[in-house]
Amino acid sequence: MTLLILVIGVLISLVWHCTEEDGQRMESIRTVAGLLAILVSDAAIVFALIWGASRITGSDKSTVLVGLATAAFTAVSTVTTAYLGIKAVSNTAQLLARKNDANPPPPPAGPPGGGKNKDGKDGPGGPPESTSMTNEEWESIKKEMEGRGVDHSRIKDIEDSMRLR
């Protein structure tokens, strides 16, 4: 038991003193510590089974022993499977995060229908064709939007964005 406490203390100390540059080392220490925790909990369940089996008395000893063994097997397999499942998901998430950091998605090229992007370059559709509208057309669209209950601040935002082009 003393050796187990010593090993756990060393693992906690190593994790505590790892820096961000030691990410790989820290991850391997976490893996070993998690595996050690699972093995200790499985051993404790088996120990409880053995202790409980030694305390059984009476004529139906075999029936009770089967129930205890089944419960212990279920507990060991549940704990172990839960750890391995969580570890697999965690490893997959870290792998995907590293891939996304290494290959960030490209920035959008410009407005979908053409036009100028923020850098003043033509968008994917090339230079826009004539997209201007008359004031009368805009007033008609604005009245239709107001009739549909569109908020005045939203209409103002659209109007302002049209002036920027």
Side-chain angles (χ1 to χ4, degrees), residues 44-143:
I45 293 169
V46 170
F47 175 75
L49 169 67
I50 294 170
W51 179 80
S54 68
R55 301 281 184 193
I56 298 173
T57 58
S59 61
D60 59 348
K61 185 175 183 177
S62 62
T63 306
V64 174
L65 187 58
V66 168
L68 279 175
T70 302
F73 178 77
T74 302
V76 166
S77 62
T78 301
V79 167
T80 304
T81 304
Y83 170 75
L84 293 176
I86 291 168
K87 187 67 181 157
V89 169
S90 172
N91 289 346
T92 303
Q94 287 176 358
L95 178 66
L96 290 175
R98 278 190 230 125
K99 281 185 180 179
N100 286 342
D101 289 345
N103 302 324
K116 304 279 185 187
N117 60 18
K118 291 180 183 176
D119 301 328
K121 298 179 182 173
D122 288 332
E129 296 179 16
S130 177
T131 56
S132 62
M133 73 172 69
T134 64
N135 283 339
E136 293 154 358
E137 290 171 328
W138 169 243
E139 289 300 323
S140 169
I141 292 171
K142 192 163 114 176
K143 283 182 184 179

Side-chain angles (χ1 to χ4, degrees), residues 7 12 17 19-20 33 40 46 49 52 75 117 130 132 141 157 163:
V7 169
I12 290 172
H17 294 313
T19 62
E20 287 298 319
V40 167
V46 170
L49 169 67
N117 60 18
S130 177
S132 62
I141 292 171
D157 290 344
R163 285 190 193 125

Side-chain angles (χ1 to χ4, degrees), residues 4-6 9 14-16 18 28 31-32 35 65 75 88 98 109 120-121 128 130 132-133 135 140 149-150 155:
L4 179 65
I5 292 172
L6 182 65
L14 288 174
V15 169
W16 190 271
C18 284
S28 63
T31 301
V32 170
L35 187 59
L65 187 58
R98 278 190 230 125
K121 298 179 182 173
S130 177
S132 62
M133 73 172 69
N135 283 339
S140 169
V150 175
I155 294 172

Side-chain angles (χ1 to χ4, degrees), residues 140-158:
S140 169
I141 292 171
K142 192 163 114 176
K143 283 182 184 179
E144 185 179 336
M145 289 170 53
E146 287 171 349
R148 291 184 179 183
V150 175
D151 187 26
H152 286 285
S153 62
R154 177 67 184 130
I155 294 172
K156 180 78 172 128
D157 290 344
I158 294 169

